[in-house]
Amino acid sequence: MSNPHFTGMMRSLSLLPEVEAILLAGSRAINTNDHLSDYDVYVYVTAEIPLAVRKAIADKYCSYMEVNNQYWETEDDGVLNDGTEIELIYRDLDWLDGELERTLFQHQASTGYTTCFWSNLINSEILYDPKGKAKTLQEKFAIHYPAELKNNIITKNYPLLSQKMPAYRKQIQKALKRGDVISINHRIAEFLASYFDILFAVNEYPHPGEKRLIDIAKSKCQKLPVSFEQNMSNLIKHVGTCNDDILVVIDQTINNLNAVLKEEGFLVTSKIESAF
């Protein structure tokens, strides 16, 4: 790493007895970063690092740091002395192993983002791993996309697009009748989570997370729905309009996805059922 503030901070963290591995993830790990990219660092620990120790390290290398944020995971979020943002996320390797076992070997699907932890691990750059535990984990899960997992992701997420009672399209239709733009926004986000989970599964590509999904899908997915980018653009454009045009866009998006799924041998229906 050419950033002395970053390398110094990683060196200081690596000297702590609680730390057994440090991995760099995100765009900087795969060299797709731009001037807005931060450092996404996963610090794997055997025990909690005292807050005072984490703060002392942050004070040395960072101009600003929020220590021990607990909004999603245990994190320290701040800005290095050169102005680059950094995110330190503290995890346990055994916990990650268990999560990936359930996903990749037991083939348990989620409603959206099913394979994100997998993508995170296999695309991370190991910065510190004295016992080789992180490398062993990467090798363990360097496997071909499981066919059963692919099927389970599609089976779990597809009915939520428009078919079942709690389907996102039906919830959006009800929200339109109420003029509830906040609910529409929330359901569109969930719709897209399931949509992209299906799309990446069809292409047997581990889900990359929340950022740059259109660009990643265009570059990594050989099986894309017709008018994919236009559908995504139209969907976002109509989120705040609160009129039935958004249902037309949703239907087009689902129908175009259906064509891909049918070509891949998945039995889906293109019938869109209205909410009652």
Side-chain angles (χ1 to χ4, degrees):
M1 295 294 161
S2 59
N3 187 319
H5 309 287
F6 178 78
T7 54
M9 191 174 200
M10 296 305 102
R11 190 177 303 112
S12 294
L13 287 169
S14 71
L15 296 175
L16 302 179
E18 299 91 349
V19 175
E20 63 177 352
I22 302 173
L23 277 67
L24 175 66
S27 59
R28 290 186 180 273
I30 56 176
N31 297 315
T32 60
N33 54 292
D34 58 26
H35 69 286
L36 295 175
S37 298
D38 61 0
Y39 286 101
D40 296 310
V41 180
Y42 290 82
V43 183
Y44 291 93
V45 297
T46 56
E48 184 177 353
I49 303 170
L51 297 184
V53 174
R54 284 155 56 187
K55 185 177 185 306
I57 293 174
D59 288 345
K60 185 174 181 180
Y61 298 105
C62 297
S63 60
Y64 176 78
M65 180 61 76
E66 296 173 358
V67 177
N68 209 40
N69 281 338
Q70 297 286 337
Y71 302 111
W72 295 279
E73 299 182 66
T74 297
E75 302 179 14
D76 297 338
D77 305 299
V79 182
L80 292 168
N81 286 329
D82 72 335
T84 308
E85 293 184 5
I86 187 168
E87 182 179 67
L88 304 170
I89 300 174
Y90 299 90
R91 287 181 176 171
D92 179 278
L93 280 172
D94 292 332
W95 168 84
L96 180 60
D97 189 8
E99 291 293 311
L100 294 180
E101 282 266 0
R102 282 188 287 276
T103 301
L104 297 173
F105 296 156
Q106 300 175 27
H107 310 127
Q108 295 181 11
S110 305
T111 51
Y113 303 102
T114 297
T115 54
C116 282
F117 285 144
W118 184 27
S119 177
N120 178 280
L121 175 67
I122 62 177
N123 291 308
S124 288
E125 177 187 349
I126 296 175
L127 304 180
Y128 174 74
D129 186 29
K131 296 182 179 179
K133 192 171 179 179
K135 186 175 187 298
T136 298
L137 211 58
Q138 281 188 336
E139 292 172 347
K140 175 180 178 180
F141 295 110
I143 62 174
H144 185 72
Y145 203 110
E148 188 174 347
L149 176 62
K150 174 180 176 178
N151 182 75
N152 289 349
I153 289 173
I154 295 170
T155 300
K156 188 177 185 75
N157 284 274
Y158 181 79
L160 285 172
L161 298 184
S162 68
Q163 290 180 330
K164 294 296 184 179
M165 288 285 292
Y168 305 126
R169 186 195 186 279
K170 295 184 179 183
Q171 293 187 52
I172 291 165
Q173 188 175 34
K174 288 183 179 181
L176 283 168
K177 292 177 180 177
R178 296 186 179 112
D180 189 346
V181 293
I182 301 300
S183 179
I184 293 169
N185 180 71
H186 287 169
R187 293 308 98 196
I188 288 295
E190 294 299 324
F191 176 91
L192 288 173
S194 285
Y195 174 89
F196 276 103
D197 220 16
I198 294 167
L199 185 62
F200 287 122
V202 167
N203 285 273
E204 299 181 358
Y205 187 78
H207 196 308
E210 297 177 328
K211 301 175 183 177
R212 303 179 181 178
L213 291 185
I214 293 176
D215 290 340
I216 293 172
K218 286 169 58 181
S219 64
K220 300 297 183 181
C221 297
Q222 295 183 349
K223 304 162 187 173
L224 277 181
V226 172
S227 304
F228 161 71
E229 189 169 8
Q230 188 63 51
N231 287 158
M232 295 298 98
S233 176
N234 288 341
L235 196 56
I236 298 305
K237 182 173 68 176
H238 284 88
V239 167
T241 60
C242 203
N243 64 60
D244 287 349
D245 288 347
I246 195 169
L247 296 177
V248 175
V249 177
I250 290 171
D251 294 348
Q252 291 172 343
T253 301
I254 294 171
N255 287 333
N256 289 340
L257 179 63
N258 283 346
V260 175
L261 293 175
K262 288 178 180 178
E263 190 169 330
E264 292 301 302
F266 291 94
L267 299 177
V268 298
T269 175
S270 60
K271 181 181 179 183
I272 306 297
E273 299 178 1
S274 298
F276 52 82

